[in-house]
Amino acid sequence: MIDPVTALAGIQSAVKLIKQASKTVDDVASLGPMLGKYFDAKSNASKAVVESKKKGGSSMGTALQIEMALDQAKTFEADLQMLFMQAGKIDVWNKIKARAQAMDVEDAHNARREKEEEKKRKQKEQEQLEFGLMLGGLAILLFMLYVGIYEVMEHCAKVRCGR
C-alpha cells in the first residue's frame, strides 16, 4: 500500500495533466485515458488514507488529508463537468457519473458479501475445531474406560473376585 501523501500527490499530478491536455484537445473524449488515471488515483488515495488511519495515524492529520483531497476533487470535478458542458457532452458526463455511482454501490455490496463469507468461513472453521476436540475428548474417554475395565479384569483375575 502506498502512503497517503504519495497517493494525494498522484491526484494532483493527474489534475495538472488533465488541465494542460484540456487546453489543447478539441474533443473531451480524447481525455478519457487521463480521466481514468485521475479517478484511479482518487480511489488509491482514499484507500491509502483509510489504511494509514488503521495503522494508527493521527485523526486530525487523516481528517485533514481526506477533506483537502475531497475538496480538491470536488472542485476539479466541477471544472470537468463544465468542460463536458462546453463541449455539448453533458449527457456523457451524466452517464459517467451514474455508472460510477452504480459501480460504487456494486463494490460496497461485494465488500459486504466478502465480509459475510469470511465470517461464515471462520464460523465453519470454529465448528470443525470444536467437533474435532469433541471427538478427541470422546476417544480419550473411551480409551480410559477400556484401560479401566482392563485393569479391573486383571485385578479380578489375580485375586479371584466374586469366587
Side-chain angles (χ1 to χ4, degrees):
M1 184 51 95
I2 60 175
D3 70 298
V5 175
T6 305
L8 295 173
I11 290 177
Q12 291 172 342
S13 67
V15 167
K16 185 178 177 183
L17 179 66
I18 293 168
K19 284 183 178 181
Q20 288 175 346
S22 68
K23 294 176 184 175
T24 60
V25 298
D26 295 330
D27 185 19
V28 291
S30 60
L31 294 175
M34 287 179 259
L35 293 174
K37 289 180 182 180
Y38 162 75
F39 286 105
D40 287 344
K42 181 181 171 186
S43 175
N44 288 340
S46 297
K47 291 175 185 173
V49 170
V50 169
E51 278 298 313
S52 72
K53 178 61 183 152
K54 286 181 183 176
K55 292 180 181 178
S58 160
S59 294
M60 183 63 167
T62 303
L64 182 66
Q65 288 175 339
I66 291 170
E67 291 307 318
M68 296 290 284
L70 289 175
D71 185 55
Q72 181 185 18
K74 183 179 175 183
T75 303
F76 174 70
E77 288 175 25
D79 293 344
L80 196 56
Q81 182 179 4
M82 186 59 72
L83 186 64
F84 274 83
M85 279 182 176
Q86 291 170 346
K89 302 276 187 174
I90 194 64
D91 58 326
V92 174
W93 176 255
N94 291 335
K95 288 178 184 176
I96 290 169
K97 292 298 282 185
R99 185 177 310 271
Q101 185 177 15
M103 292 169 76
D104 287 345
V105 168
E106 184 179 333
D107 287 345
H109 286 305
N110 288 340
R112 180 186 45 79
R113 267 185 253 143
E114 288 175 7
K115 193 174 183 179
E116 288 173 356
E117 288 172 3
E118 180 67 18
K119 184 178 177 181
K120 286 180 184 178
R121 185 188 63 76
K122 285 183 178 181
Q123 184 178 5
K124 185 176 180 180
E125 286 178 357
Q126 182 67 26
E127 288 172 358
Q128 289 175 343
L129 176 65
E130 289 171 1
F131 184 71
L133 290 173
M134 183 184 70
L135 285 179
L138 184 61
I140 290 172
L141 182 66
L142 289 175
F143 178 73
M144 290 174 64
L145 183 64
Y146 169 77
V147 169
I149 292 172
Y150 178 78
E151 289 294 322
V152 167
M153 297 292 277
E154 285 290 313
H155 178 70
C156 283
K158 286 182 184 175
V159 295
R160 299 187 186 240
C161 295
R163 295 185 196 175

